[in-house]
Amino acid sequence: MAYLLENDILKLECTEQGGEMLHLTNKEDGIEIIYQGDEAWSGSNPSLFPIIGSTYNKTYEIAGKQYSMKNHGLIRYARLKGEQGDDHISFIYESDEETRKQYPFDFSYKITYRLENNQVKIDYRIENTGKEDMPFSFGLHPAFRVPQKQGEMFEEYSIHFENDENANQIIFHDDLSIPSHTQSVHLNNWQLNRDEIKRFATIVLKDFSSTYVDLEYKNVPKIRISFPGFPFLAIWSHPSPSNFICIEPWFGHADFDQSCSDFYQREGTIILQPHEVFKTGYTITIFQNKEGK
């Protein structure tokens, strides 16, 4: 079943698989905004729950029992229950016997999409439906087509931060036995650079105040990704050159070295008490050619 939302500016199509966006089209020029998973990376815009990446050992322990999940957790591999409304699309996923084999907690997970003029508003609701405190990480992984038009080049695009500021970048190595560290970086306008992305594997930032970034072509804003409240931001593209850039707001991150063996103590971990609810969301704004900023 196709789940569709449309207004005068945008058309959005979603799927029950992962509750993901399939297509986001700017009706002004017919441009597809979302990378279609048709090059080096087969993904597109998965949700990352209850883990981002993986632990150092690819396993973790809860109450003396060992568990493991695939990379980025459960949701990206799951088929969610869809609900089509007049002005929204929602996808719901509930824990069950199979999820508890990988993650021994009960939860309810909901994604809701809405269109508002030239914006896609995406909200998340996670509830601890069990009787124990529930630790988890949560992140977003949207991939945007870059370049968007024939004749453009990947390197002609840039990411412009809301604030001109200093932040910290987490530096890690392929050999996770080597401790990770942070280095101070200045955030303003970063020109897309495949070599730099490949050198760092993933650019992971923290300790910033910006709540949005603009993806720009020759200094003209094309897409704004707004992520208030997220403490980490990752930037990634596949090491085999592909026409997309991922701009990923995160709560938490993968284990970048062997320093943390306690699943509850991983940096950025959220712990929900029984019946407590966690809510967050982000917004994608598609700038129209006639509007600019």
Side-chain angles (χ1 to χ4, degrees), residues 177-195:
S177 66
I178 301 173
S180 62
H181 66 280
T182 61
Q183 69 178 25
S184 179
V185 292
H186 185 74
L187 304 181
N188 182 7
N189 195 70
W190 181 72
Q191 204 76 27
L192 267 57
N193 184 313
R194 294 190 191 277
D195 290 339

Side-chain angles (χ1 to χ4, degrees), residues 4 9-14 20-39 44-45 120 143-150 152 157 215 222-223 243-245 284 286:
L4 298 170
I9 301 172
L10 301 175
K11 183 176 180 179
L12 174 67
E13 181 179 350
C14 298
E20 294 187 23
M21 295 178 284
L22 278 178
H23 302 286
L24 175 59
T25 306
N26 182 358
K27 295 170 69 173
E28 180 185 48
D29 50 20
I31 293 294
E32 171 68 69
I33 305 300
I34 300 296
Y35 166 69
Q36 294 296 293
D38 54 356
E39 297 184 52
S44 184
N45 55 98
V120 184
F144 301 98
R145 288 180 65 246
V146 174
Q148 293 184 352
K149 296 182 179 179
Q150 191 172 3
E152 298 176 347
Y157 279 76
L215 182 61
K222 296 296 183 179
I223 304 170
N243 293 316
F244 72 88
I245 190 73
I284 301 171
I286 310 302

Side-chain angles (χ1 to χ4, degrees), residues 22-145:
L22 278 178
H23 302 286
L24 175 59
T25 306
N26 182 358
K27 295 170 69 173
E28 180 185 48
D29 50 20
I31 293 294
E32 171 68 69
I33 305 300
I34 300 296
Y35 166 69
Q36 294 296 293
D38 54 356
E39 297 184 52
W41 181 48
S42 61
S44 184
N45 55 98
S47 301
L48 317 181
F49 171 85
I51 193 172
I52 298 169
S54 189
T55 62
Y56 171 76
N57 292 319
K58 310 300 182 186
T59 62
Y60 66 100
E61 188 175 294
I62 300 290
K65 186 176 179 179
Q66 192 172 86
Y67 298 89
S68 65
M69 290 178 273
K70 292 181 179 179
N71 193 51
H72 293 320
L74 300 172
I75 299 299
R76 69 179 300 192
Y77 307 101
R79 194 165 188 85
L80 281 62
K81 179 182 176 182
E83 296 180 352
Q84 176 78 60
D86 292 337
D87 64 349
H88 70 279
I89 301 167
S90 292
F91 295 97
I92 299 171
Y93 190 59
E94 308 279 352
S95 57
D96 57 23
E97 183 178 350
E98 288 304 310
T99 66
R100 285 189 287 271
K101 292 177 183 178
Q102 304 172 67
Y103 177 66
F105 300 96
D106 287 317
F107 63 86
S108 175
Y109 183 98
K110 184 176 182 180
I111 308 172
T112 300
Y113 297 90
R114 290 183 172 84
L115 296 184
E116 186 174 302
N117 298 318
N118 63 331
Q119 296 183 325
V120 184
K121 295 184 176 293
I122 309 163
D123 294 310
Y124 299 84
R125 183 186 187 277
I126 299 168
E127 181 179 359
N128 178 358
T129 57
K131 299 179 180 180
E132 307 291 336
D133 287 357
M134 184 178 83
F136 66 93
S137 300
F138 174 77
L140 313 171
H141 202 316
F144 301 98
R145 288 180 65 246

Side-chain angles (χ1 to χ4, degrees), residues 174-216:
D174 290 338
D175 181 356
L176 299 188
S177 66
I178 301 173
S180 62
H181 66 280
T182 61
Q183 69 178 25
S184 179
V185 292
H186 185 74
L187 304 181
N188 182 7
N189 195 70
W190 181 72
Q191 204 76 27
L192 267 57
N193 184 313
R194 294 190 191 277
D195 290 339
E196 191 168 349
I197 293 173
K198 189 173 182 178
R199 176 160 62 97
F200 292 115
T202 304
I203 296 171
V204 182
L205 304 170
K206 67 176 185 176
D207 304 324
F208 52 81
S209 64
S210 291
T211 62
Y212 68 80
V213 297
D214 289 342
L215 182 61
E216 300 184 344

